Amino acid sequence: MEPWIPITIAAAFLQNLRSALQKHLQGSLGTRGASFVRFGYGFPVAVLYVIALHALAGYRLPVPTFGFAVWAVIGGLAQIYATIMLVHLFSLRNFTVGTAYSKTEPMQAALFGLLILGERLSLGTVIAILIGVLGVMTISVARSPLTAGSLIRSLTSRTALIGIASGGVFGISAVAYRSASLSLDGPNAVMQAAVTLACVTGFQTLFMLGWMLLTDRSEIGKVVRSWRTSSLVGFAGVVGSAGWFTAMTLQQVAYVRALGQIELVFTFMASVFLFKERVNRLELMGCLLIVAGILGLLFF
């Protein structure tokens, strides 16, 4: 098995855990505060990860370039706004559906990968991704009557548009992170991904801290007071991001993000067992389609 596969599955699980904790935090924090904890509490962990790789594993530190900085800033800003949209989605519909809309990302990431990096996909891979996206669309209409009108209304609703936009911006950030990591002259993919993660998380922390200082300083106090749960969000987020960054350094973004749709299976489990939300047959069918798409991706 290629190493990017288990790394991606682990990253998807940790991302789902982080999203579940962020939803819990949204009751005590605003959207920006719940989004900030992912970066602010994760940054020290990211720095320690780089130090450990350098001091214990003996990996040399790559020297960032101007091109690296440009891609890191683009990816960092895109991820901030995509995260804010995703956290906002949780207040519009239930946890499962809110996450499902953002899972149109693989197709959008494939397009951005083609346009920005010139990366092409095989026909079998495109079909597998489409099956997964069909699963996402099935989940998105599972709570509405199955008519042409309801389908159009669902896909053009405010929730759908925010979710699709979130997925698109996540796609941009993923391609930018791969570009940043590949631009480093590092000893291996693990160290390149770790340095990229630390630099990006540091930038995101400063950016969002400055934003909250200018717009709502009281939110900073809430973030500090929620340190127990927030630190868990930061830890899960940065460890998961380390997995994503490493996988995307090893493999094309579209493949990684398509396999990452397995997160929705974890989301169903969190929805049922943590948030006591009911899942109907169409949502279950959509989940099975996503799994079928993932299996097709691995086969092709």
Side-chain angles (χ1 to χ4, degrees):
M1 180 183 294
E2 295 181 40
W4 70 273
I5 295 175
I7 291 173
T8 299
I9 294 173
F13 175 79
L14 289 168
Q15 179 168 295
N16 178 73
L17 175 61
R18 186 214 70 220
S19 295
L21 291 170
Q22 278 181 306
K23 180 179 180 180
H24 174 73
L25 275 175
Q26 200 180 20
S28 57
L29 301 179
T31 299
R32 275 173 299 195
S35 302
F36 170 78
V37 296
R38 170 183 181 178
F39 312 117
Y41 283 92
F43 175 57
V45 181
V47 173
L48 288 174
Y49 180 45
V50 172
I51 293 173
L53 289 175
H54 179 60
L56 301 180
Y59 298 153
R60 65 175 176 82
L61 290 170
V63 179
T65 62
F66 177 74
F68 167 84
V70 171
W71 284 118
V73 168
I74 292 173
L77 289 175
Q79 188 178 31
I80 286 173
Y81 289 107
T83 300
I84 288 174
M85 286 188 282
L86 182 60
V87 172
H88 180 59
L89 272 176
F90 296 155
S91 66
L92 300 180
R93 291 193 67 177
N94 73 29
F95 181 67
T96 300
V97 177
T99 305
Y101 280 121
S102 68
K103 294 305 164 188
T104 55
E105 178 190 351
M107 285 304 300
Q108 300 187 68
L111 177 61
F112 295 134
L114 173 64
L115 295 177
I116 297 174
L117 300 177
E119 296 177 336
R120 298 181 181 274
L121 304 177
S122 68
L123 178 60
T125 300
V126 172
I127 293 172
I129 292 176
L130 286 173
I131 291 173
V133 172
L134 178 61
V136 172
M137 293 297 97
T138 301
I139 291 172
S140 72
V141 299
R143 302 281 174 168
S144 306
L146 286 180
T147 64
S150 67
L151 179 61
I152 293 174
R153 285 192 298 272
S154 177
L155 294 177
T156 57
S157 67
R158 181 185 175 210
T159 306
L161 294 177
I162 293 175
I164 293 170
S166 174
V169 180
F170 270 129
I172 292 172
S173 73
V175 172
Y177 288 153
R178 175 168 166 80
S179 300
S181 186
L182 291 176
S183 71
L184 289 175
D185 181 22
N188 52 46
V190 174
M191 192 59 170
Q192 290 170 224
V195 171
T196 303
L197 174 63
C199 292
V200 167
T201 308
F203 164 73
Q204 291 170 322
T205 299
L206 291 175
F207 179 86
M208 290 207 69
L209 187 60
W211 187 6
M212 288 191 294
L213 281 171
L214 291 173
T215 58
D216 188 3
R217 296 189 178 186
S218 64
E219 191 75 5
I220 298 175
K222 295 177 183 177
V223 167
V224 174
R225 288 191 294 271
S226 68
W227 67 270
R228 289 180 178 85
T229 304
S230 295
S231 59
L232 290 176
V233 171
F235 180 79
V238 78
V239 176
S241 293
W244 288 123
F245 280 43
T246 304
M248 289 186 296
T249 304
L250 293 169
Q251 182 57 272
Q252 292 183 33
V253 172
Y255 286 85
V256 174
R257 287 310 199 186
L259 177 57
Q261 286 183 323
I262 198 172
E263 180 196 350
L264 206 58
V265 177
F266 301 139
T267 300
F268 267 97
M269 296 171 65
S271 180
V272 173
F273 294 109
L274 294 181
F275 303 120
K276 309 302 180 183
E277 296 171 346
R278 294 181 177 273
V279 177
N280 64 29
R281 291 180 179 179
L282 277 178
E283 288 174 326
L284 181 59
M285 183 184 299
C287 186
L288 292 175
L289 283 170
I290 290 172
V291 172
I294 291 170
L295 293 175
L297 174 73
L298 297 179
F299 176 78
F300 285 107

